[in-house]
Amino acid sequence: MTAQVPHILVVGGGYVGMYTAYGLRRAARKGKIRVTVVDPRSVMTYQPFLPEAAAGSVEPRHVVVPLRKTLKGCRVVTGRVTGIDHAHKVAKVMPEEGPEYELAYDQVVVALGSIARTLPIPGLAEEATGFKNVEEAIALRNKVLDRLDVASSQPDPALRKSALTFVFVGGGYAGVEAFAELEDMARYATRYYDNIEPADMRWILVEATNRILPEVGPDLGKYTVDQLRKRNMDIKLETRLESCEKGRVVLSDGDEFDADTIVWTAGVKANPALAATDFPLDEKGRVKCLANLRIEGVTDAWSAGDNAAVPDLTSDSGAYCAPNAQHAVRQAGRLAANILRTVDGKPPQDYEHKYVGSVASLGLHKGVAQLFGIKIKGWPAWFVHRSYHVSRVPTFNRKARVILDWTLALFFRREVTSLGTLQAPREEFRRATES
């Protein structure tokens, strides 16, 4: 596309897409550039707060950032990019409704992110749920509380046991934090049931390797396992999920049982939509990038985040930047600055960031953290976790709302109401039409 004002197309509205457009918005408002963001969702989800949203510590609406409200001066298109022909600088866009159309650009930012990495396990697609967006977090919260209601009202011991069995597959951040936060919420909720005790519930974490939370180091990983086991939570290391057809869970260690709730958090992979582009991809399906975040071998194309293989300049082993929020947010800032530099005729600068450490919540007032080599446990780690992530949430509006949620929680008891009918809002009306 040839135009007096460069048109920057941002494909994806997640961490990289939203923060990149956020860094470009002022130049767009001044008329220096035009920015278009295309994403199937009209909000960006701050994923580190999903476990707290699921547990009721944070209002779900406060962990999502409305793109149109935040990216003033940018055009936001709710649709899916189905292909990119960079040789002709054209992207194919499938809107939420209506026919597919082409969108021309001068520079493109590929920020498609990642999707859940699944395996061909019998029953997985039918029985399990993921944990990557706010809808899944709300649905999982409702499911856990709904299962407590079912168990309380169910005289059949087998059905009751199945309702009170919760299986999480994957021992990374998403899995462990969701596992610990939801168990903490469910444990609290049992005080309102006269026939359910915490000991009646069975919480199982299945991890294929010999450790969980590898980002915080082996010592804190072992500490986390010990702390969770003290809460009577079953941590199965070096164990795989073999099948879960019709809720019948079969594990590689020979254990077999029924479970109504199965959550899959066993890693992510680059968005497969990248295959419909003419960009160079590595063996993991990620876009190959230079240290300055330009895509290898082409001009006017950039990428970062989970879907990009970006060299880690702080590593001596030729490693790539880890696919996490810490890198994605900082890469987006550098990427936006580099685009503006090229518009001004200046060379882009390399991205370099030394990993400062990791934090993880294990429920209310419980956590682990490793920052700058310092290991922190318990309440201090939980406080560091909250402080760090509230500082990373985009916009002052969202920061204030999250802090207000936490402040109110100091004075009021945890909310443990299930809104399970949200998953089937028309069911009651359907029954009325049949009566």
Side-chain angles (χ1 to χ4, degrees), residues 41 47 50 54 116 128-143 182 263-265 423:
R41 302 163 60 82
Q47 292 180 346
L50 285 182
T129 182
F131 198 75
K132 274 187 68 67
N133 57 54
V134 71
E135 295 92 338
E136 289 174 331
I138 295 172
L140 184 55
R141 168 185 170 80
N142 289 335
K143 178 73 175 289
L182 283 162
V263 185
W264 180 268
T265 61
Q423 274 76 263

Side-chain angles (χ1 to χ4, degrees), residues 3-19:
Q4 210 170 15
V5 178
H7 181 208
I8 316 300
L9 175 62
V10 180
V11 182
Y15 283 108
V16 172
M18 199 284 292
Y19 277 103

Side-chain angles (χ1 to χ4, degrees), residues 103-253:
L103 187 61
Y105 60 82
D106 292 301
Q107 297 193 48
V108 64
V109 176
V110 181
L112 287 167
S114 60
I115 65 170
R117 184 187 65 214
T118 59
L119 298 173
I121 297 173
L124 183 67
E126 295 78 14
E127 303 295 334
T129 182
F131 198 75
K132 274 187 68 67
N133 57 54
V134 71
E135 295 92 338
E136 289 174 331
I138 295 172
L140 184 55
R141 168 185 170 80
N142 289 335
K143 178 73 175 289
V144 170
L145 293 174
D146 180 69
R147 292 301 89 189
L148 293 180
D149 290 341
V150 168
S152 177
S153 310
Q154 179 55 252
D156 187 317
L159 294 178
R160 176 184 165 94
K161 187 174 181 180
S162 178
L164 295 177
T165 301
F166 308 92
V167 181
F168 287 67
V169 183
Y173 273 120
V176 172
E177 289 193 325
F179 182 64
E181 288 279 0
L182 283 162
E183 188 275 343
D184 198 52
M185 177 200 70
R187 178 182 293 269
Y188 178 89
T190 58
R191 67 180 61 190
Y192 300 112
Y193 296 86
D194 57 8
N195 60 347
I196 298 179
E197 298 294 331
D200 296 333
M201 297 187 295
R202 187 183 182 192
W203 290 79
I204 305 159
L205 180 68
V206 179
E207 168 55 42
T209 67
N210 62 357
R211 57 189 288 197
I212 65 173
L213 293 180
E215 297 88 351
V216 300
D219 292 341
L220 288 180
K222 184 179 183 304
Y223 167 83
T224 301
V225 170
D226 293 340
Q227 292 300 306
L228 295 177
R229 284 175 173 165
K230 285 179 181 178
R231 289 157 59 177
N232 292 322
M233 301 170 79
D234 193 356
I235 313 298
K236 291 179 173 288
L237 302 178
E238 299 183 280
T239 306
R240 299 181 309 278
L241 174 66
E242 298 286 352
S243 70
C244 56
E245 291 182 290
K246 297 182 179 179
R248 185 67 178 176
V249 175
V250 179
L251 303 179
S252 61
D253 65 356

Side-chain angles (χ1 to χ4, degrees), residues 23 80 166 196 220 236 263 309 324 351 369 410 416 419:
R80 192 178 303 276
F166 308 92
I196 298 179
L220 288 180
K236 291 179 173 288
V263 185
N324 56 45
Y351 168 77
L410 297 174
V416 288
L419 297 176

Side-chain angles (χ1 to χ4, degrees), residues 223 227 359-369 376-387 410:
Y223 167 83
Q227 292 300 306
V359 292
S361 171
L362 303 179
L364 198 60
H365 303 153
K366 298 175 280 288
V368 291
I376 312 172
K377 306 174 183 177
W379 189 92
W382 170 81
F383 182 78
V384 168
H385 170 271
R386 283 197 162 185
S387 300
L410 297 174

